Amino acid sequence: MNTPLPPADELALIDRELGQLDARRLYLLARRDWLLRQPAPLVWGAPAAAAAPGRPTEASAPGAQNLLLTLGAVLLAVAALAFTLISWGSLGIGGRSAVLAVVTAAALVTPAPLLRRGLRSTAESVAAVGLLLTVLDAYALFAVGMPAADADAATAYAAGATAVLAAAWAGYGRALPALRIPLPAALLTAQLPLPLAALASDAGPAELGWALLATAALDLALAASAPARWPARAAWIPAAALGAGALLIGLSESAVAASAADAAAPAALLAAVAALGVAAAWRIPGAWPAATAGGLAAVAALGGTARPELAPGWAVVTHLALALPLLAAVRVTALPEPVRLGLARAGAGIAGLAALWGCAAAVTALTARLRVLDEVWAATTPAAGVPLAQPGVAAPVALLLAAGAARWLSRVLPGRPEPAVMAVALGWGGLFTAPLPLGLPVAAVLAAQLAVTAAAGLLALRSPDRPTAIAAGAVALLGAGNVSLAALDGRAATFAVLGLLGAGCAAGAAYGPAPRWARSGAAALAVGYATALVVALSALTDLAAPWWALPVLAVPAAVTAAGPRLGAQRLAAEAAAGAAGVLALALACGDAPVLALALALAGVVCAGSAVRADRRALGWAAGVLFVAAAWVRLASAGVGTAEAYTLPVTLPALAVGFLRRRRDPAASSWTAYGPGLAVTLLPSLAAAWGDPHWPRPLLLGAAALGLTLAGAHHRLRAPLLLGGGTLAAVALHELAPYVVQVVDALPRWLPPALAGLLLLAVGATYEKRLRDARRLRSALGRLR
């Protein structure tokens, strides 16, 4: 009995054996690769083996055979065409026709013995040549019997010839069912007789449409009655193409009909297309597009007879009303599924087109209100007239009908959110634009539109379905903006509309059961409308526009004072208040002293908000605003010595920062000393860059040097960086003239060369510089 090895020894043995196996495997693979590259590898003691696998075959034997047979058939066809169409020897057309008849008979008979011998591909090629020869026979017969025929006679002969050829080829294919070419060729040829006959008889578009439809009906009958695996089962493909042609002809003729009598013939064609489409969907599984085309044709047939007697808008409404019953097909279980699906989609498609037309009319009407911006408050009362476009009553009716259909579909298809969203959007569009064409007073129009907007907003707040609520909120926002725009034409209308909308938004923000996003949006809108009201009230006074900024700043001040009492809507309200503050500063930009005052007041608002622990970051904004206010005021007063005004602010600020650091050693130097230092350093630096004399740069540079040294000594980041940055900027200012002189004296090629050398040097020491940068960052991080 073998004594088992210790685990360490056994592991070493296994590793050694695996290494030997890997080495042996690599040797065998290399040897095999060498042998495969030899011209004739041999096996010792055995006869010569077959050559090693070389290039793969690029063409299979069946593929090469089919290619040769196809080329042979093509060449024979070309020869037959040349024989028939081009003069050959002394034979006339009659002699060539006799020769072709003999050759055709031989070509059509030959496939039978070839099939008995199993040569199916050869038989297919010979049969294809035979079919082509029959076409040439038909041409030769025409050339012999009707040499002087006109175009109509030639077209009539082509119609009869294609019918005979289609029947002959179909019989030939039934006689030799193993051949795959004759039946598809017969099917395609059978599409020509009736359209060619219509063209030969100088028929109009309607007659051509009937010819196409009759051919499509024959195709569908063949497809429905053919065995499942018979090639004629594919007859629905040409039937679809011809049916679409008949449908287009019927639609175009119905569209140009000038009277109901003229529309009767296209309506009959469209009705026949509808019947054929529904029948096809009834008999052929999965043919719901045929039912869709049938539904479209039926609506066009019924609506086309009424269209010439109606205004364009009401014609659209009529077609929509005729299409809506098709949607009910989804509930008729007695109909096959393709029929139900196709008819419902036809109704939905027509409803969608009508809704697009109504939306286009509504958009045109609502965008016309932009003309109010050309002259705000052109009238003192709304009765003076807000520019309202007149889309006609038909557009709102179409939108409301489409909205009702979408609402019905949302109840029938509860799992799909699209119908409910469309119902909300279209319903709002119909109700919002309905007052425009009724000739009502403008005040009544605005009141009705405010009611519609309020209803949409209430739906956004109370709907349990999120997509529906979002859609309602979007249209409510759109309606509020449009009504507000229209109200700018009159002063009374402006205050009434803005006040009502602002109050409604405030109520929505306070509505507890509403979703959070809806309440936040309502809160932001309430702040926005409050700002708009303040601007409107300011416009009533005789104050210049820059002075409007001061009352506008009352809005963010009020939001800041409300603070935590706003609850979950606080962030949205504060964001809107920030936008109001930006508007106030923009209004004040036309007057520098007013702008300085507005900046200071904005800083007070931010500082008041920064008192709260969760809004400390606004302290930085307050500091920036205070500094900006000081700069603007100094610049507006024409002060040349800014330090006289900034130093009195800097010293108390530094003292406050020093006391803060004593009470709280963990406080950052930026918080304690940053604002105070920035108040003096930055204005002085800006003044030094425009000062041609030397005292200010010298004094500022000395002060910056002292700050830098103090910051390095006490390891304080704010004095170190602010002082160092200021010192570097002052040094650059002093060196700038000399640098310009040196650059002007240098050759033009030298700066690019120096830049290239610098890039090479930086690239060569990149790793070392990264290490030094990390060390510098670490050192700055240790500062306080």
Side-chain angles (χ1 to χ4, degrees), residues 318-400:
T318 300
H319 283 81
L320 175 59
L322 293 172
L324 292 182
L326 296 178
L327 296 174
V330 296
R331 302 294 297 271
V332 182
T333 57
L335 296 176
E337 183 178 358
V339 177
R340 290 189 287 111
L341 185 61
L343 293 178
R345 289 183 175 178
I350 296 175
L353 292 176
L356 286 177
W357 173 82
C359 289
V363 168
T364 302
L366 297 180
T367 53
R369 286 175 164 172
L370 292 173
R371 293 198 300 267
V372 175
L373 298 177
D374 295 337
E375 191 176 1
V376 177
W377 286 0
T380 56
T381 61
V386 179
L388 299 177
Q390 300 294 329
V393 181
V397 171
L399 290 174
L400 292 175

Side-chain angles (χ1 to χ4, degrees), residues 30-41 52:
R31 184 63 179 171
R32 179 180 180 276
D33 182 69
W34 180 84
L35 290 173
L36 290 176
R37 289 197 300 269
Q38 301 308 307

Side-chain angles (χ1 to χ4, degrees), residues 291-308:
T292 301
L296 294 175
V299 173
L302 295 175
T305 56
R307 183 198 58 79

